[in-house]
Amino acid sequence: MHVNETDPGTGEERSITSASAAPGDMARAAEKPGEKKKRKVKPQRIEGSTRVVCVFGDPVEHSLSPRMHNAAYRELALDFVYVPFRPAVRRFADAVEAMRTLGIVGANVTLPFKEAAALACDRVTETVRVAGAANTLYFDRGRLVGDNTDGLGFASALGAHGFRIRGKRVLVIGAGGAARAVVWALAEYGAADIVIANRTPGKAKAIAKLFRSHLPGVDHCDLEVLDDFDFLETRQLVVNATSVGLNGRDFLDYSVEATPEDCFHFDLVYAEEPTAFLRMAAEVGRPTIDGRHMLVHQGAAAFKLFTGRRAPVEVMGKAIGIRV
C-alpha cells in the first residue's frame, strides 16, 4: 500500500510503501487520541515578485534576524524574503547605494556599520540624530530614511518583563552605539538617574554630556564602580552594552551580589547559551533578560517600517528560541 507521511524533521511529505497496513490501522496511527493536528507551514517560495529585505553586518553569520523575519513573512503569507549581507567595511556606502539600484525594500544594520548608516541616508529620525547611529534603513517616497529601533526594542523588552523604567536608577556598562540607544530610551521613558560606566571614561562622559539636556541625572564613571557596594545597592537595573563575556569568556570583576534582589540585569548581546553577565546575575537570583528579547522588539518595529504590517512578535520570538 502506498501512502504519504510527513517527515518530522523537515515538515515535507515523503512517500512510503506498506504491504500489510490496513486503512483503519493507518487512520488510527495518524490520529492519536487527544493529539492536536499541527498546522502545516508552507515553505518560503522565491518568485519574480518577491521583495527583498536584508541585514548588513560584519560578521553577520551569527545573526538571528533572517530566521526571525522570514518566520514572520511566512506567518502572514507576505511575498518577502530577508537575507544577510556582509559588505567590506570600506565598501559600505556602495552596499547602501545597491539598495537603491536593486530595489531592496529596506535593511537592518548591525556592527560595525551603524554610525556609517546614519551618514548614508537622505534623512534621519530624531532618534538617529541623538544616538548618532542607525540600525534600520527604509524608503519613503523614494528617499532613504535612517531610523534607530534599538531604544524602542530595549524599552519594549523591559515592559514585556514587567519592568517599568519611570523613576528607576540605572547602571549602563559600555559607551558604544548600543549604549547610546539605551540611554536615549531610559531618558525618554523617565528613568530617575543613569550612570554610564566605561573602561575609557572619556567616551562615557561624551554620552552623558549629550543626554544631560534631556535628563539632568545622567552621569559617568570608570569601571571601578562595578565593585562599589554602596553604589550598586542603589541600582534597580544594570545593562551590559558591551561584548565582554561572550564566547565563554568571564565577565568583568562585578559584585553582582551587592545589587538589590529585584535588580534586573539586561545583556544587549545574545548567544546560544546565557552570557557570562547573565550567568553571574542568575547565580545570585537576580531577574535577567537576554538580548534576543530586544532583538525581537526592535525587529518588530523595523518589520512595520518594511512591510506596513504589524509584526507577529510571538512567531518571531519562537523562531529564535524565546517566548515573548
Side-chain angles (χ1 to χ4, degrees):
M1 183 173 294
H2 194 73
V3 298
N4 289 331
E5 73 169 15
T6 300
D7 186 322
T10 64
E12 298 177 350
E13 289 191 345
R14 61 184 180 185
S15 181
I16 62 172
T17 301
S18 172
S20 59
D25 296 332
M26 289 165 54
R28 283 188 292 274
E31 299 177 10
K32 295 179 182 179
E35 183 179 52
K36 290 184 179 180
K37 188 175 181 180
K38 292 183 179 180
R39 183 170 63 88
K40 189 184 294 183
V41 179
K42 293 183 179 180
Q44 202 159 357
R45 297 179 63 180
I46 309 299
E47 305 287 355
S49 60
T50 301
R51 308 188 72 189
V52 177
V53 182
C54 68
V55 55
F56 292 128
D58 184 15
V60 76
E61 294 81 4
H62 70 289
S63 175
L64 296 177
S65 290
R67 188 186 309 176
M68 180 176 73
H69 282 269
N70 285 321
Y73 299 151
R74 289 192 296 270
E75 177 70 16
L76 299 184
L78 297 178
D79 191 13
F80 281 72
V81 65
Y82 190 107
V83 296
F85 290 132
R86 186 178 184 173
V89 173
R90 295 181 180 180
R91 302 295 298 273
F92 179 70
D94 294 337
V96 173
E97 189 60 31
M99 292 178 63
R100 305 177 194 268
T101 304
L102 300 175
I104 293 174
V105 173
N108 285 128
V109 184
T110 186
L111 295 175
F113 301 121
K114 290 186 179 184
E115 287 79 10
L119 301 175
C121 301
D122 299 320
R123 67 179 177 88
V124 297
T125 64
E126 178 64 21
T127 307
V128 172
R129 274 191 285 272
V130 173
N135 80 327
T136 302
L137 307 178
Y138 67 98
F139 288 96
D140 180 21
R141 288 170 287 189
R143 302 188 72 202
L144 185 64
V145 182
D147 202 347
N148 193 316
T149 63
D150 280 338
L152 177 60
F154 169 76
S156 297
L158 283 172
H161 282 78
F163 184 93
R164 188 177 181 185
I165 293 173
R166 184 165 299 279
K168 298 300 191 296
R169 309 186 74 181
V170 186
L171 169 63
V172 177
I173 306 168
R180 285 188 176 209
V182 163
V183 174
W184 171 86
L186 292 169
E188 188 74 9
Y189 289 93
D193 77 74
I194 307 163
V195 175
I196 307 162
N198 194 58
R199 190 182 303 277
T200 308
K203 291 183 178 180
K205 182 179 180 180
I207 297 178
K209 183 178 179 181
L210 176 67
F211 286 97
R212 201 160 284 141
S213 60
H214 298 270
L215 179 67
V218 181
D219 207 346
H220 69 282
C221 61
D222 59 28
L223 294 179
E224 289 184 5
V225 75
L226 297 181
D227 197 33
D228 185 335
F229 275 57
D230 291 337
F231 170 78
L232 291 176
E233 67 182 9
T234 68
R235 298 300 97 180
Q236 294 157 298
L237 171 65
V238 179
V239 182
N240 177 34
T242 76
S243 59
V244 177
L246 276 180
N247 303 321
R249 297 194 305 257
D250 290 334
F251 192 66
L252 303 164
D253 291 332
Y254 170 41
S255 299
V256 61
E257 68 278 8
T259 60
E261 291 184 0
D262 60 351
C263 177
F264 271 71
H265 284 68
F266 197 142
D267 202 330
L268 303 190
V269 300
Y270 57 84
E272 291 184 7
E273 301 293 333
T275 63
F277 175 75
L278 294 186
R279 287 199 306 272
M280 290 176 68
E283 285 171 1
V284 294
R286 303 304 187 260
T288 63
I289 307 174
D290 81 38
R292 289 175 296 173
H293 291 271
M294 177 172 166
L295 178 72
V296 165
H297 288 285
Q298 66 81 21
F303 183 95
K304 180 72 178 295
L305 294 173
F306 298 150
T307 68
R309 298 282 297 275
R310 183 176 179 179
V313 291
E314 296 87 356
V315 171
M316 295 170 79
K318 185 178 179 181
I320 62 173
I322 61 171
R323 183 177 180 180
V324 180

